[in-house]
Amino acid sequence: MNWNQIIFISLLATVLILAIANEAESAAVRTNKSDIKTEDGENMKKRIFMQESEAAAFLKRRGRRSTKSKDEVNAENRQRLAADERRREYYEEQRNEFENYVEEERDEQQERNREKTEQWREYHYDGLYPSYQYNRHHI
């Protein structure tokens, strides 16, 4: 098939589907005038705006610059102290793990050093005790 035929058939199918489907209109905007006339303006205002008492209570709760209540301050301090405690425990655990790692590394290094020294002494041992090399007196 030719590309022009494929494009033409796909466009024709799209137009046919859109023409058949009545629900192709936008869901957010109504186009029927009868729906708009049935709802009066007062009902729309109630749905959009909150009542004055609710708005006053909402704004009265606390402004940006007003002082916090003792309960709010205590709750924030408890949260801060809990976070500090978790941070302290985390870093203490990290430090302990690192100390254990360093201790193991030192032990392994000392063991390797001791084995090397032992091997060196066995290799260089000349049958005398203490070894002859250590008792040389250079003139």
Side-chain angles (χ1 to χ4, degrees):
M1 268 179 97
N2 194 350
W3 282 104
N4 291 337
Q5 291 175 343
I6 294 173
I7 292 173
F8 178 73
I9 291 174
S10 64
L11 286 175
L12 184 64
T14 306
V15 168
L16 184 65
I17 290 172
L18 289 177
I20 292 174
N22 289 334
E23 292 82 24
E25 296 178 16
S26 174
V29 179
R30 291 188 215 140
T31 57
N32 293 343
K33 301 290 183 189
S34 61
D35 289 343
I36 296 173
K37 290 178 185 175
T38 56
E39 292 188 24
D40 54 350
E42 194 66 33
N43 192 14
M44 289 293 278
K45 286 182 185 177
K46 285 181 182 177
R47 286 180 41 201
I48 294 173
F49 299 105
M50 63 172 58
Q51 294 179 358
E52 186 178 346
S53 60
E54 291 177 21
F58 177 77
L59 295 173
K60 201 185 292 183
R61 284 185 192 143
R62 188 166 70 80
R64 281 187 177 203
R65 296 186 179 199
S66 65
T67 59
K68 298 177 182 176
S69 68
K70 286 185 179 182
D71 293 333
E72 271 184 301
V73 172
N74 289 339
E76 287 180 4
N77 284 338
R78 278 195 304 272
Q79 287 179 340
R80 199 174 296 121
L81 290 173
D84 289 345
E85 183 65 25
R86 286 192 302 269
R87 191 179 307 114
R88 191 177 306 115
E89 288 174 0
Y90 171 77
Y91 284 120
E92 183 179 354
E93 183 179 337
Q94 294 293 319
R95 187 178 60 242
N96 288 340
E97 288 179 7
F98 181 71
E99 287 175 356
N100 291 342
Y101 168 76
V102 168
E103 187 176 349
E104 288 176 9
E105 284 294 316
R106 280 189 196 137
D107 290 345
E108 289 175 7
Q109 182 67 30
Q110 289 173 353
E111 181 68 20
R112 285 193 298 267
N113 194 14
R114 188 186 60 76
E115 287 176 1
K116 284 181 184 177
T117 306
E118 221 173 86
Q119 289 174 358
W120 186 88
R121 285 184 180 158
E122 286 178 8
Y123 181 76
H124 291 286
Y125 183 64
D126 57 357
L128 301 175
Y129 186 80
S131 177
Y132 174 70
Q133 278 187 336
Y134 296 117
N135 292 327
R136 282 190 197 159
H137 296 287
H138 300 284
I139 302 176

